[in-house]
Amino acid sequence: MATKLTWLGHAALALETGGYRVLVDPFLTGNPAASLKPEDVQADFILISHGHGDHVGDAVDIAKRTGATVISNFEIAAWFGKQGIEKNHPQHLGGGRKHPFGYLKLTLALHGSMLPDGSYGGNPCGFLLTTNDGKKLYLAQDTGLFGDMKLIGEEGLDLAVIPIGDNFTMGPEDALRAVKLLEPKAVIPIHYNTFDLIAQDANAWADRVQKETKTKAVILKPGESYSL
């Protein structure tokens, strides 16, 4: 069964793989780029990369409504437990776990992680997912450029999802360098144009990716999908 990734706007993603629905950083309420309302979203699992409000987003309400299991670092998983989400699974950087939807490893991310109420959110992360049919996806979420992206790329990536917005994350130049380190078959940019502060020309960036690498650059509008 094909794996389908839908960009919901900002860094919010929806994955459908092996019959499971996986939400990532579901910031929908208050997101001017959001393509769905929280009540319209279904999920079996929710992945949270770090504690900032534009990534935790509507996860608590969605998890309560759908019964989804929240997966994040230990500190954030424990915080969700305090919010009444008993179905949570803690992991940590470099640690992997076989879940029903595939093998998920938490990767390094250069960012912050304070939770919306000021609680300590532990270390931010990205996600390296090997689906049950062997596809490899790297969801960088919020991060700056780091050299160990080369090690992640050695996994043999079918798809990388990386930020290009600058100011809070990698900008276009560093995101292009990231593609050169990761060498994925395809790349999708996220975390841009939600607000003026992170406005970028994704098409111009994609042109450079196409010219300077062997990677296929895929530009999605919020609500659009890419299938592997």
Side-chain angles (χ1 to χ4, degrees):
M1 181 180 294
T3 293
K4 183 173 75 172
L5 181 141
T6 302
W7 185 36
L8 302 179
H10 199 55
L13 305 166
L15 277 170
E16 295 178 28
T17 183
Y20 294 96
R21 299 163 297 185
V22 182
L23 275 181
V24 185
D25 291 347
F27 168 51
L28 302 173
T29 300
N31 176 358
S35 61
L36 288 174
K37 296 179 180 179
E39 56 267 29
D40 297 328
V41 174
Q42 298 299 322
D44 301 301
F45 296 88
I46 301 174
L47 311 185
I48 302 296
S49 66
H50 64 285
H52 293 165
D54 61 330
H55 292 258
V56 171
D58 300 285
V60 171
D61 289 343
I62 294 171
K64 287 181 178 179
R65 174 174 56 80
T66 64
T69 298
V70 174
I71 302 172
S72 191
N73 68 32
F74 183 87
E75 291 82 0
I76 291 176
W79 183 84
F80 271 90
K82 293 178 181 178
Q83 313 310 308
I85 309 302
E86 296 181 2
K87 293 175 65 176
N88 63 75
H89 180 87
Q91 293 185 213
H92 253 310
L93 299 182
R97 175 75 176 179
K98 180 65 173 72
H99 297 282
F101 58 88
Y103 184 81
L104 184 72
K105 183 185 290 186
L106 271 56
T107 69
L108 176 68
L110 300 182
H111 201 59
S113 189
M114 184 176 69
L115 285 152
D117 63 2
S119 300
Y120 174 57
N123 293 314
C125 72
F127 302 104
L128 180 62
L129 172 63
T130 304
T131 65
N132 291 328
D133 60 357
K135 299 293 185 182
K136 285 188 179 285
L137 295 79
Y138 170 49
L139 313 178
Q141 300 311 99
D142 281 19
T143 188
L145 179 70
F146 56 94
D148 283 357
M149 286 183 174
K150 181 174 177 59
L151 296 179
I152 296 172
E154 289 175 0
E155 297 273 348
L157 301 175
D158 294 288
L159 176 66
V161 178
I162 64 175
I164 66 167
D166 217 354
N167 196 79
F168 298 112
T169 67
M170 293 186 291
E173 291 294 330
D174 277 356
L176 178 60
R177 295 174 70 189
V179 174
K180 293 176 180 179
L181 291 173
L182 293 165
E183 297 184 318
K185 293 178 182 177
V187 64
I188 295 172
I190 61 168
H191 207 281
Y192 70 94
N193 288 359
T194 318
F195 311 105
D196 289 343
L197 189 59
I198 56 172
Q200 299 294 341
D201 185 340
N203 289 308
W205 179 79
D207 287 343
R208 291 193 63 189
V209 171
Q210 300 283 157
K211 291 175 181 176
E212 299 182 32
T213 76
K214 297 180 180 179
T215 297
K216 175 184 177 182
V218 179
I219 304 301
L220 300 178
K221 296 177 181 178
E224 292 184 338
S225 303
Y226 177 76
S227 294
L228 286 78

